[in-house]
Amino acid sequence: MDEALIRSLTPGVLTVLVRRGADFAAAEDAVQDALVEAVRGWPDDPPRDPKGWLVTVAWRRFLDAARADTARRRREDRVEEEPAPGPAPDVDDTLQLYFLCAHPSLTPSSAVALTLRAVGGLTTRQIARAYLVPEATMAQRISRAKRTVSGVRFDRPGDVATVLRVLYLVFNEGYSGDVDLAAEAIRLTRQLAASVDHPEVAGLLALMLLHHARRAARTAPDGTLVPLAEQDRGRWDTASIAEGVRILQAALARDRLGEFQAQAAVAALHADAPTAGETDWVQIVEWYDELARLTDSPVVRLNRAVAVGEADGPRAGLAALAALDDTLPRHTAVAAYLHERDGDLDTAARLYAEAAHKAPDLAERDHLTRQAARLNSRRR
């Protein structure tokens, strides 16, 4: 089975069913049933038109469910309208599905979970692993989200701000997860930028391009993480950086600053530095001040503490860090880094080891463990 093909076809099949009149929840269930049939039958008898096959089987599964519903008489009209099997229309409605999944009535976490399942093609188990929750918990969250949007139709577009948030979260999942969705998030954000004249849409696209440009240098050949300061900048994608900076400058010129533009400005300053030592940390602190004003996010303030430590020295960074809740994710790792910069290697080694136990994924855990081991070897 070609899993990439299945993931690419799923949004279009789901869209066809919704356009024919199926509500979102029932359509998504029918598509999942069709995918199960594909897994069983395609290896031995692959169809000539995979999408058309999925549409036909999913529509029949939907009709079977509709006939069994208590509203049988009202839904029987749909049976008569079943189109003859044939090639499915080659229309990309993925972005419209994002608007549906990102309905304002959903919480951001529910919206992105539903998007990853219905549009991204991830299994409930994969999504649960990404969120670090039990599979049953994620299944309940997705079911609730499906019920919430079950009556929403494509003629009721979702909120652009919510769509941006979901695209941002999907990009981050694709950037670091076990299923690559980053390029797809960039493609859809390009579509959104072409259809919506909004500086924050441009800001998000710029941010994605600038982060994605560094992707090849983020890991070593053995899969270990490479910190930004140690990355081989010759491996950065200069064309994507140039495009991201150009898009960002045009957005900032409109003087309607938003969160994604400010984040992109920080990324642009990192990308613009020929070496880590030439990074303009003073400007980065100023942009984090803007971000803190816009979002009041503790994560932003944590990143700001790192930038302050680079711009004004580790003692200043530790002072900024002291004002934050020490249960904040990655707080301990930042404290370890700043203590190392300040020359307190004993404290830094202890904190690196403590941070490793709290790390959200294996790659980060291994990186922090190596940092602790490195300092402990220097103290011997």
Side-chain angles (χ1 to χ4, degrees):
M1 288 294 296
D2 187 341
E3 292 186 9
L5 174 63
I6 289 290
R7 282 197 297 272
S8 69
L9 293 177
T10 299
V13 176
L14 181 57
T15 300
V16 170
L17 267 65
V18 173
R19 286 193 180 282
R20 288 182 181 176
D23 67 69
F24 186 88
E28 207 273 338
D29 287 340
V31 170
Q32 293 299 321
D33 287 344
L35 293 177
V36 171
E37 290 298 315
V39 170
R40 291 173 179 167
W42 284 15
D44 297 327
D45 185 21
R48 286 178 295 179
D49 178 13
K51 182 177 179 181
W53 188 97
L54 287 171
V55 168
T56 299
V57 173
W59 182 250
R60 288 173 179 166
R61 294 294 180 273
F62 165 72
L63 292 178
D64 288 344
R67 293 189 191 100
D69 194 89
T70 56
R72 175 190 300 271
R73 293 180 183 177
R74 181 169 53 85
R75 300 191 181 191
E76 279 182 347
D77 291 341
R78 294 177 184 169
V79 177
E80 303 300 326
E81 297 171 2
E82 180 179 354
D90 187 17
V91 178
D92 185 359
D93 289 313
T94 307
L95 188 57
Q96 288 178 295
L97 284 177
Y98 268 73
F99 271 94
L100 184 63
C101 293
H103 194 264
S105 60
L106 295 174
T107 64
S109 61
S110 293
V112 73
L114 182 61
T115 304
L116 290 170
R117 167 66 183 269
V119 188
L122 273 68
T123 65
T124 303
R125 178 174 297 178
Q126 287 173 314
I127 302 169
R129 190 160 56 241
Y131 275 86
L132 304 178
V133 299
E135 184 176 353
T137 300
M138 182 54 64
Q140 292 175 353
R141 184 181 301 177
I142 292 173
S143 294
R144 286 195 299 269
K146 285 164 60 177
R147 287 195 298 271
T148 299
V149 299
S150 62
V152 178
R153 301 296 297 274
F154 279 129
D155 57 356
R156 295 175 57 194
D159 180 66
V160 172
T162 308
V163 173
L164 287 178
R165 177 62 52 190
V166 171
L167 284 169
Y168 174 68
L169 292 170
V170 170
F171 175 81
N172 285 339
E173 173 59 29
Y175 197 62
S176 59
D178 62 348
V179 176
D180 185 359
L181 296 175
E184 175 69 357
I186 291 174
R187 183 183 73 84
L188 292 170
T189 306
R190 285 190 189 279
Q191 282 190 12
L192 187 60
S195 60
V196 177
D197 183 22
H198 195 296
E200 271 295 81
V201 177
L204 178 59
L205 178 56
L207 176 63
M208 288 179 174
L209 289 169
L210 289 164
H211 277 304
H212 205 58
R214 302 199 302 258
R215 186 172 187 179
R218 289 182 72 243
T219 55
D222 62 358
T224 58
L225 289 179
V226 179
L228 178 61
E230 300 172 18
Q231 289 177 13
D232 178 1
R233 300 187 177 217
R235 299 184 65 195
W236 289 1
D237 183 347
T238 55
S240 291
I241 291 173
E243 182 185 5
V245 170
R246 185 172 64 253
I247 292 170
L248 173 63
Q249 289 174 338
L252 292 175
R254 301 177 65 176
D255 199 23
R256 291 169 54 194
L257 184 64
E259 173 187 356
F260 294 122
Q261 294 170 74
Q263 286 193 54
V266 171
L269 286 167
H270 283 299
D272 188 55
T275 65
E278 296 173 86
T279 304
D280 191 341
W281 287 105
V282 173
Q283 272 204 69
I284 288 177
V285 171
E286 292 173 355
W287 278 112
Y288 274 127
D289 287 339
E290 290 287 350
L291 263 173
R293 179 181 61 80
L294 289 166
T295 66
D296 195 29
S297 165
V299 175
V300 167
R301 296 186 186 280
L302 182 69
N303 290 331
R304 180 186 178 277
V306 176
V308 168
E310 300 290 351
D312 301 327
R315 296 286 175 90
L318 287 167
L321 187 66
L324 303 177
D325 185 350
D326 61 7
T327 64
L328 193 64
R330 296 189 171 88
H331 183 285
T332 307
V334 170
Y337 173 73
L338 291 172
H339 276 290
E340 180 184 358
R341 289 278 321 280
D342 194 39
D344 186 352
L345 302 189
D346 289 345
T347 300
R350 175 178 57 80
L351 290 174
Y352 275 130
E354 183 181 332
H357 288 292
K358 301 176 181 177
D361 57 63
L362 181 61
E364 187 171 338
R365 187 181 312 137
D366 288 346
H367 170 71
L368 292 168
T369 300
R370 284 194 300 274
Q371 297 298 90
R374 174 178 56 83
L375 293 186
N376 284 328
S377 67
R378 287 173 57 181
R379 290 159 48 210
R380 293 188 184 122

